[in-house]
Amino acid sequence: ATVLIGPVPGAGPGFKGAFWGGINGQLIYKRNKTTSYILRLEQFRDPDGFALYPFSAVKSTFNDVTNGVNWNVTKYVNLRPEVRYDFQSANQGAAFGLQNANGKPYTYQTTASMDMEFYF
């Protein structure tokens, strides 16, 4: 999907809008009644560096791979741990804002998280 955003008040002279769009997909393997494994792939293109502002104004293509588990511990509690790897391609700068010891900007990051959902 691609979205066109028109002129934004106060955006400055010559601003005619920005294009961005993304796609994602999931594969889910249901192991049994309580456990599912999930693999998700996503790509988000922001060639104008506008969609993620104010967090980033880097013109880039953002990609991610997420691997997770959905575990229904009980009828009322669900745990969802996941590991996510984000990386940039077609980038014009580093969006993640960090540098290695040599001063080279990182264009990737890995995060691990867990959600706990309560149903009532």
Side-chain angles (χ1 to χ4, degrees), residues 9-69:
F15 182 76
K16 295 189 178 14
F19 293 91
W20 68 84
I23 188 167
N24 69 50
Q26 292 190 87
L27 292 173
I28 301 172
Y29 172 72
K30 188 166 186 166
R31 181 173 173 250
N32 55 38
K33 289 174 90 174
T34 63
T35 308
S36 299
Y37 300 104
I38 301 165
L39 176 66
R40 184 173 68 85
L41 305 170
E42 179 178 2
Q43 185 176 75
F44 181 78
R45 293 182 180 153
D46 187 10
D48 296 318
F50 185 80
L52 301 179
Y53 184 81
F55 302 107
S56 176
V58 173
K59 299 174 182 179
S60 186
T61 296
F62 300 91
N63 309 281
D64 91 66
V65 177
T66 305
N67 190 8
V69 176

Side-chain angles (χ1 to χ4, degrees), residues 73-93:
V73 181
T74 71
K75 181 170 128 178
Y76 303 105
V77 178
N78 187 37
L79 289 178
R80 296 178 50 199
E82 70 177 28
V83 175
R84 177 177 169 147
Y85 177 67
D86 293 285
F87 60 98
Q88 290 176 254
S89 57
N91 60 313
Q92 297 177 19

Side-chain angles (χ1 to χ4, degrees), residues 98-105:
L98 300 173
Q99 295 180 347
N100 65 17
N102 299 327
K104 183 177 177 187

